[in-house]
Amino acid sequence: MTLCALLNSGEEAGARRRWRRRTGQIQYAYLDPPAPRALPEAVEALRQAEAVVIGPGSIYTSLVPNLLVPQIADTLAELNVPRIYVCNVMTQPGETDDFSAVDHVEAILRHVENRPLFDYVLLNTRRPSAEVLARYQKQGARLVEPDDRGIARLG
């Protein structure tokens, strides 16, 4: 199975290792071949959970690929336990440049056909020190704006 991406430039990036050479922002990630079967143990672990916490992590290369497994997303959507998404504090260069917290959640929802997978979104509202921000900025990352009102509008 290969993790692929469709870019806003119209380009398709095949193997994840070649994503760094791409031009354009990731619009959508997909698996080739699509719709793999879930491991029964993974589905059972979700069903036995008292709560599910997803994130923080790379949206397109760590979180979304798990949700592209239909049975995983379906099981997560059916659960009657708290489902929590922990939003990243900083953007990831080349993957979520200029993303706000709303952009992070919308990117995930776009991959699961806007099904409500989360009951809660955990946001960092404390601004890191100027020194910490400068260190991240040298790597091309910036603070994810914690737009709690925007998140609430998403339901």
Side-chain angles (χ1 to χ4, degrees), residues 5-133:
L6 175 63
L7 310 176
N8 63 3
S9 65
E11 179 185 0
E12 289 193 45
R16 178 181 169 192
R17 66 183 173 278
R18 287 183 272 161
W19 284 24
R20 297 207 186 277
R21 288 182 259 156
R22 70 188 184 339
T23 57
Q25 181 70 32
I26 299 169
Q27 226 178 32
Y28 195 82
Y30 61 96
L31 299 175
D32 184 30
R37 290 185 9 200
L39 289 173
E41 297 88 351
V43 173
E44 186 58 28
L46 284 171
R47 289 186 176 139
Q48 296 299 319
E50 294 180 23
V52 176
V53 179
I54 296 175
S58 301
I59 295 295
Y60 296 107
T61 56
S62 294
L63 304 181
V64 163
N66 295 292
L67 301 174
L68 294 175
V69 178
Q71 195 175 8
I72 296 295
D74 292 344
T75 302
L76 187 56
E78 295 166 0
L79 294 177
N80 289 318
V81 299
R83 299 162 303 170
I84 304 156
Y85 168 60
V86 181
C87 190
N88 294 355
V89 175
M90 302 299 289
T91 61
Q92 185 174 358
E95 188 165 327
T96 56
D97 296 308
D98 301 319
F99 269 36
S100 68
V102 171
D103 295 324
H104 279 80
V105 173
E106 286 178 334
I108 294 170
L109 292 175
R110 195 168 41 251
H111 287 83
V112 294
E113 299 171 356
N114 290 311
R115 284 184 293 174
L117 293 187
F118 308 117
D119 301 303
Y120 304 98
V121 175
L122 205 58
L123 301 171
N124 175 60
T125 58
R126 191 172 192 195
R127 198 158 199 84
S129 69
E131 180 181 314
V132 169
L133 288 174

